[in-house]
Amino acid sequence: KMADAHWFIELMERGGKIVTITPEYSPPATKADYWIPTRPGLGDTAIFLGITRILMERNLYDAAFVKGLTDFPLLVRADTLKRLDPKDVIAGYRPGLPADGPSFKIQGLTSEQYARLQDYVVIDSRTNQPVAVTREDVGTKLAAKGIDPVLDYRGEVTLTSGQRVEVMTLWEAYKVHLQDYDLDSVAEISGAPKDLIERLAMDIATIKPVAIHVGEG
């Protein structure tokens, strides 16, 4: 889009690397470092799922970023596939989001929305026990609370009712989901060359910062 062209040009001026993923050899593709052709539809989604699998399996991800700034450490219940509610595992738990915090004051979160969103649960590596976190416990705030979330957790927890349920982090759930997105399958789904998919995965793993822009063709 013409209005976005300056981002594209400034990135080139600063020596950044540009990769274009489009079905056609588009005008941006002619200026990119390399072009990854893909089928229209869900081809680009398959490519990024395949890249995610590569980054996870080869340990090429930024662990601090994933733990502190994504939802991968959050626990989900295997029986309902919903996020584990702190009230279900912590007796007497009361919602911990401060009324004067950015969620309510800046982002406009309502009490009704918060009741539906609830707080979350992670496994703290220091105690190997479930602890509650709010949507504002991210990055340095999470570290300040002394919480180090476990990514690769799968096991059972005891609910306040006494019931035992299997839980897993979203990280573990994605590992199951991504079994379908090996490099051969991704190439078949997307029509993109395997070597270019792997090349993009390595670029994402080794270049900082990285951003994915949608629709700037």
Side-chain angles (χ1 to χ4, degrees), residues 193-206:
K194 288 191 293 184
D195 62 317
L196 292 181
I197 297 171
E198 192 161 15
R199 180 180 177 185
L200 179 56
M202 297 307 298
D203 280 340
I204 289 174
T206 56

Side-chain angles (χ1 to χ4, degrees), residues 2 11 21 44 53 64-65 73 88 107 112 121 140-141 143-144 147 161 176 186 196 204 213:
M2 190 178 295
L11 182 58
I21 305 174
D44 49 353
R53 174 170 168 168
F65 179 90
D88 291 339
Q107 297 161 2
E112 292 77 13
V121 181
T140 55
K141 291 185 177 180
I147 299 173
S161 64
V176 176
V186 170
L196 292 181
I204 289 174
H213 292 251

Side-chain angles (χ1 to χ4, degrees), residues 20-38:
T20 302
I21 305 174
T22 50
E24 79 288 1
Y25 189 58
S26 61
T30 67
K31 305 297 189 292
D33 291 83
Y34 56 98
W35 164 59
I36 301 180
T38 184

Side-chain angles (χ1 to χ4, degrees), residues 38-47 189-190:
T38 184
R39 292 192 178 99
L42 299 178
D44 49 353
T45 303
I47 288 170
I189 294 168
S190 66

Side-chain angles (χ1 to χ4, degrees), residues 42-87:
L42 299 178
D44 49 353
T45 303
I47 288 170
F48 282 110
L49 287 170
I51 287 172
T52 303
R53 174 170 168 168
I54 290 172
L55 298 179
M56 291 171 67
E57 287 187 343
R58 302 184 189 179
N59 198 31
L60 296 173
Y61 56 91
D62 183 337
F65 179 90
V66 174
K67 288 182 177 184
L69 294 168
T70 77
D71 61 359
F72 273 132
L74 303 185
L75 291 180
V76 293
R77 293 175 56 151
D79 57 345
T80 64
L81 297 183
K82 293 183 178 180
R83 293 189 182 96
L84 182 63
D85 191 326
K87 296 192 294 292

Side-chain angles (χ1 to χ4, degrees), residues 174-191:
Y174 257 91
K175 283 166 67 174
V176 176
H177 175 50
L178 293 173
Q179 289 177 5
D180 294 330
Y181 292 92
D182 58 276
L183 201 52
D184 288 333
S185 297
V186 170
E188 182 180 354
I189 294 168
S190 66

